[in-house]
């Protein structure tokens, strides 16, 4: 099964902040720009006008714009970015150096208080991918899934699709995909 997933537009005033599941605004023009890219892709490849989005505004807003253009969109909680718990919305400078060191020393399993570890994110994504694979097998597996998501989610999903395990050190984590960039996952 194939999934095309676009990274959401760049959020407003997010520079220097930890914004995993923080719901932050995006410029409407950038949302429309991504909607235009997706719409052209769908038209070019003659795909159904169906898009999955995370519940976070920077993804959800794209689905809402596409709905105005005849798309169906579905909110999928499993597509949400990693949850950084008490770090959410704080500047990286406000997060204690020891906490960052603890995270780097146990990259796969460390989670900020009330947050999610990278290992937990991988489990969430793998479960969702398995469900989607089964559902697509029952329906039409030749029709790709299209979604708008987040950099950390996309990186983790790519690693899973490539058969890689959860990285144990931060230097094994890939650079984020660019805003508005489309990634293809085969799983």
């Amino acid at each position: 099964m194939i999934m095309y997933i676009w990274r959401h537009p760049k959020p407003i005033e997010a520079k220097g902040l930890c914004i995993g599941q923080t719901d932050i605004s995006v410029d409407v023009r950038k949302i429309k720009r991504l909607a235009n890219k997706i719409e052209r892709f769908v038209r070019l490849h003659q795909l159904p006008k169906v898009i999955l989005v995370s519940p976070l505004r920077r993804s959800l807003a794209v689905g809402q714009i596409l709905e105005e253009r005849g798309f169906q969109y579905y909110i999928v909680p499993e597509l949400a970015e990693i949850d950084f718990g008490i770090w959410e919305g704080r500047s990286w400078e406000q997060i204690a150096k020891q906490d960052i060191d603890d995270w780097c020393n146990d990259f796969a399993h460390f989670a900020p208080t009330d947050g999610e570890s990278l290992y937990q994110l991988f489990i969430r994504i793998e479960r969702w991918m398995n469900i989607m694979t089964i559902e697509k097998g029952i329906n039409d597996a030749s029709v790709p899934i299209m979604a708008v998501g987040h950099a950390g989610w996309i990186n983790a999903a790519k690693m899973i699709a490539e058969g890689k395990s959860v990285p144990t050190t931060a230097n094994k984590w890939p650079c984020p995909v660019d805003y508005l960039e489309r990634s293809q996952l085969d799983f």
Side-chain angles (χ1 to χ4, degrees):
M1 183 170 55
I2 295 173
M3 177 180 193
Y4 296 110
I5 185 165
W6 287 261
R7 184 178 180 196
H8 61 77
K10 184 176 182 178
I12 297 171
E13 300 179 11
K15 188 172 177 133
L17 298 179
C18 177
I19 60 159
Q21 290 191 11
T22 301
D23 212 3
I24 193 163
S25 297
V26 176
D27 185 308
V28 174
R29 293 170 297 177
K30 292 179 181 178
I31 293 168
K32 288 181 180 177
R33 188 174 303 138
L34 180 53
N36 291 342
K37 287 179 88 166
I38 293 169
E39 191 172 28
R40 278 192 304 274
F41 184 83
V42 165
R43 188 173 36 248
L44 178 66
H45 297 283
Q46 300 179 344
L47 297 170
K49 292 183 169 186
V50 177
I51 192 98
L52 307 179
V53 297
S54 93
L56 301 172
R57 191 175 358 174
R58 54 197 188 266
S59 174
L60 176 62
V62 178
Q64 292 168 332
I65 293 289
L66 287 169
E67 182 183 45
E68 295 171 6
R69 300 175 184 185
F71 278 69
Q72 291 178 309
Y73 78 92
Y74 297 94
I75 300 169
V76 179
E78 292 86 354
L79 287 173
E81 184 60 288
I82 192 168
D83 184 352
F84 283 112
I86 63 169
W87 293 2
E88 288 286 345
R90 294 172 61 194
S91 76
W92 286 102
E93 292 173 354
Q94 291 176 315
I95 299 168
K97 182 185 178 317
Q98 185 60 53
D99 288 347
I100 300 291
D101 289 347
D102 291 346
W103 181 29
C104 290
N105 291 331
D106 190 11
F107 195 64
H109 298 284
F110 177 85
T113 302
D114 299 327
E116 181 177 36
S117 71
L118 195 54
Y119 176 79
Q120 290 169 316
L121 174 66
F122 269 61
I123 295 296
R124 172 165 48 99
I125 294 169
E126 283 178 327
R127 284 183 182 150
W128 181 78
M129 286 177 154
N130 288 337
I131 290 168
M132 292 307 297
T133 302
I134 291 166
E135 287 180 5
K136 280 295 189 181
I138 294 168
N139 297 309
D140 188 353
S142 68
V143 178
I145 296 169
M146 293 186 300
V148 178
H150 308 274
W153 194 100
I154 294 168
N155 278 349
K158 281 181 174 182
M159 294 178 84
I160 293 166
E162 293 167 0
K164 296 179 180 175
S165 57
V166 182
T168 56
T169 58
N171 66 343
K172 299 218 189 276
W173 186 249
C175 292
V177 297
D178 291 334
Y179 294 106
L180 312 182
E181 183 178 323
R182 175 177 43 86
S183 297
Q184 178 177 328
L185 303 171
D186 297 301
F187 58 94

